[in-house]
Amino acid sequence: MTLPLPFSTNALYSVADIRNVEQEALATLTTGSLMRAAGQAAAVFARSLIPSGSAEILVLAGPGNNGGDALEIAYLFAAAGDRVSVIIAEGIQAYSAEAKESLLKAQSSQVHFFGLDYLQKNSGKQWTLIIDGLFGIGLTRPIKGKVAQLIEHINQYAAQSGIPVVALDVPSGLNADTGQVVGTDGIAIRASHTITFIANKPGLHTAAGKDYAGQVKVADLAIASQLFPEPVAILSNAAAVLASGSPRPHNSHKGSYGDVFVIGGEEGMAGAPILAARAALHGGAGRVFAGFLSRPPSFDSRNPELMCRRAQDVHFTDTTIVIGPGLGNSELAKNVLMSSLTQAASLVIDADALNLIASDPALQKLVNQRAHINDQTGNPVRTLMTPHPLEAARLLETTSGTIQADRLRSARALADKFNATIVLKGSGSIIATTGETLIINTSGNPALATAGTGDVLAGLCGALLAQGMPVSEAASIAVWLHGKAADQWVARGRGPIGMTASELIPAIRDCINHYSRRPER
């Protein structure tokens, strides 16, 4: 799942790296050329979001170069005959030479300038488009005072009116590296669209970033690709990987696509392994077994193809095991987890199994040692862990708030600690494997915020591993399919409210077949 360089809009860069690239580029450019390029790109993009004809444009201009970009756009809209109002934040006295040049151009045009209290005095004004150029990627302190009140007013107005709000580079108040609002009591612009300059940023695609950034467009400003270092992360390209795979041969059978054993189902929790097993079946595994710590059902009435067993009777050696859904924390649960850790060729660790590992250093050691074990064919065994933020916090002995504060760093820390591939679940799930570039998932929506969808994801991961996919590729594709199926469910008008994990499973099968299908000759 690595992304070829040179530069791609799927490559994600840290603020520090982008600053370095920008400085190197500026050394070879004339004063103001980069700001003019940003303004032109943003103006063209913003224009595409509104009806043709004269428009009422509100521009928010802050004290840094982000404000200079905003003023450049204001000048371009005014030159095109639109009615443009600019709200100026304090601090423009410290503008760079480039920003001052854009300010002078806007002042010499038909742009109208106002202070921070303008909206409070003109609450009935109707706008066609709002441009957010208050703060860019350099913001380090929470937004307070009159600017915070302005942002709150803008967010309320946009929510009620439904007009486009275009953020320049990053929504003001959002951390471009982490995707969190700057400061525990901070505020940020809720943009419908973000046009981000020079390169894409991870914070626009994970944590709260997706809620604040909206749809993201990248304007690289024609900066040479050789100036860019390796990205800190990439956006998942799972659809392309699925499309490039080999079709299933006619001359195949159930043994060609692997066996998956799902282990869980403590008393009162039998539904969790059933969901995971059904997902493995619909994900293409050749045979699927469900192992229960409590008394197993005779069969699954919805999918009688599933084979139900006692967990103690499951064959652990050199197979694909999904362990954790409904597992509980009994001594038997711990024993079957130890068997899985020491014997399984491919292992997906989820839910209660993660919590058992977090509370037991001996189990943690067994997870770590799997990186040095080969299966009977001589290939390294594969380990995939799928924690949500609270489970991740237990595994790293910290808080879920700390995990969410920097999801990329947390995912990398988990991968390094356990020598495993990690899926850190949540908005913009992150896939981390030691020595590989981080991957941020691009699919999914709030429909997945319901019980059982994590079990479905674990079963799907097991199915892809059983079919022979490399572990990081299986993780990335499973997470993307899981989210894409939910996206398509919502697109059909059946969510996001009230979608169930059971409904998600056949939708995943539809996605797999759609994106893997070849045109007939």
Side-chain angles (χ1 to χ4, degrees):
M1 290 295 296
T2 56
L3 195 75
L5 296 178
F7 175 80
S8 164
T9 57
N10 277 12
L12 306 172
Y13 292 89
S14 69
V15 168
D17 284 341
I18 287 171
R19 291 290 195 206
N20 290 335
V21 170
E22 182 179 27
Q23 290 306 308
E24 288 191 52
L26 286 171
T28 65
L29 299 171
T30 58
T31 301
S33 59
L34 209 57
M35 188 167 288
R36 288 192 294 274
Q40 182 65 40
V44 170
F45 175 65
R47 174 70 67 188
S48 71
L49 302 176
I50 59 176
S52 59
S54 181
E56 289 279 358
I57 311 297
L58 177 62
V59 177
L60 314 178
N65 279 352
N66 201 243
D69 295 335
L71 291 166
E72 189 71 28
I73 296 166
Y75 165 76
L76 291 170
F77 270 107
D82 296 292
R83 294 180 295 276
V84 182
S85 299
V86 174
I87 295 178
I88 289 279
E90 296 94 342
I92 64 171
Q93 302 86 351
Y95 267 176
S96 66
E98 293 89 346
K100 287 178 181 177
E101 182 180 311
S102 296
L103 174 61
L104 290 172
K105 287 164 63 178
Q107 288 174 331
S108 66
S109 71
Q110 297 300 310
V111 172
H112 302 283
F113 288 84
F114 301 96
L116 287 170
D117 58 353
Y118 173 66
L119 290 185
Q120 293 173 324
K121 298 177 180 178
N122 296 270
S123 58
K125 184 77 172 180
Q126 300 296 309
W127 307 101
T128 312
L129 173 74
I130 297 174
I131 301 290
D132 163 37
L134 286 170
F135 301 101
I137 60 177
L139 186 69
T140 57
R141 292 182 295 180
I143 299 171
K144 301 287 188 180
K146 289 186 176 180
V147 179
Q149 293 172 10
L150 171 65
I151 290 176
E152 185 175 6
H153 189 106
I154 292 294
N155 287 345
Q156 290 175 353
Y157 177 81
Q160 293 167 1
S161 65
I163 69 166
V165 177
V166 178
L168 305 181
D169 213 12
V170 62
S172 294
L174 188 74
N175 186 308
D177 283 337
T178 68
Q180 295 292 8
V181 175
V182 176
T184 55
D185 56 348
I187 191 170
I189 287 282
R190 286 187 178 270
S192 61
H193 300 77
T194 296
I195 180 165
T196 195
F197 303 129
I198 300 179
N200 213 338
K201 287 95 177 167
L204 302 176
H205 303 280
T206 193
K210 299 179 85 170
D211 289 316
Y212 285 90
Q215 297 180 33
V216 177
K217 178 178 176 60
V218 180
D220 62 21
L221 308 185
I223 292 178
S225 61
Q226 59 265 29
L227 296 181
F228 290 87
E230 289 289 323
V232 297
I234 59 174
L235 294 178
S236 173
N237 61 339
V241 174
L242 279 167
S244 66
S246 301
R248 287 190 166 187
H250 287 279
N251 187 25
S252 61
H253 52 83
K254 63 187 177 184
S256 305
Y257 305 111
D259 294 346
V260 175
F261 292 80
V262 179
I263 311 297
E266 180 61 276
E267 189 70 35
M269 295 186 286
I274 287 291
L275 284 170
R278 288 175 179 173
L281 187 67
H282 285 72
R287 296 190 302 174
V288 180
F289 300 79
F292 295 82
L293 271 70
S294 60
R295 181 178 178 180
S298 300
F299 66 99
D300 175 19
S301 59
R302 176 173 292 186
N303 288 112
E305 304 89 349
L306 299 180
M307 291 164 275
C308 300
R309 301 282 190 274
R310 296 192 313 158
Q312 307 93 301
D313 298 335
V314 166
H315 173 70
F316 290 94
T317 304
D318 283 326
T319 192
T320 298
I321 300 289
V322 176
I323 189 163
L327 186 68
N329 59 3
S330 65
E331 193 63 28
L332 175 57
K334 182 176 178 180
N335 289 338
V336 295
L337 177 56
M338 291 182 68
S339 297
S340 299
L341 289 169
T342 54
Q343 298 175 41
S346 298
L347 181 61
V348 180
I349 307 173
D350 185 46
D352 289 336
L354 295 169
N355 294 328
L356 284 170
I357 290 167
S359 64
D360 191 328
L363 292 175
Q364 294 176 28
K365 185 176 180 180
L366 288 177
V367 177
N368 198 282
Q369 289 174 341
R370 283 179 55 82
H372 309 291
I373 299 172
N374 291 337
D375 61 21
Q376 289 185 347
T377 64
N379 294 314
V381 302
R382 299 174 292 174
T383 309
L384 173 56
M385 304 172 74
T386 58
H388 57 55
L390 182 56
E391 291 162 344
R394 293 172 183 143
L395 290 165
L396 290 178
E397 299 180 76
T398 185
T399 65
S400 58
T402 300
I403 296 295
Q404 291 292 82
D406 193 336
R407 287 170 52 79
L408 277 75
R409 181 176 62 187
S410 299
R412 179 67 75 196
L414 285 164
D416 291 343
K417 178 175 181 177
F418 291 102
N419 275 325
T421 291
I422 303 296
V423 173
L424 178 56
K425 295 185 287 194
S427 178
S429 293
I430 297 171
I431 297 90
T433 303
T434 299
E436 297 185 16
T437 305
L438 293 171
I439 299 169
I440 298 182
N441 185 51
T442 56
S443 65
N445 62 71
L448 294 171
T450 188
T453 57
D455 304 317
V456 170
L457 176 62
L460 180 58
C461 288
L464 299 186
L465 287 174
Q467 292 169 75
M469 281 190 185
V471 61
S472 60
E473 184 174 299
S476 182
I477 289 176
V479 172
W480 184 83
L481 285 168
H482 186 253
K484 190 65 176 178
D487 291 341
Q488 293 183 348
W489 193 259
V490 170
R492 298 186 189 108
R494 301 177 182 176
I497 299 170
M499 187 196 76
T500 66
S502 295
E503 291 170 323
L504 183 63
I505 293 170
I508 289 172
R509 177 184 59 194
D510 292 345
C511 275
I512 293 173
N513 285 287
H514 174 77
Y515 287 97
S516 302
R517 188 172 293 125
R518 300 290 191 287
E520 293 186 8
R521 295 181 179 178

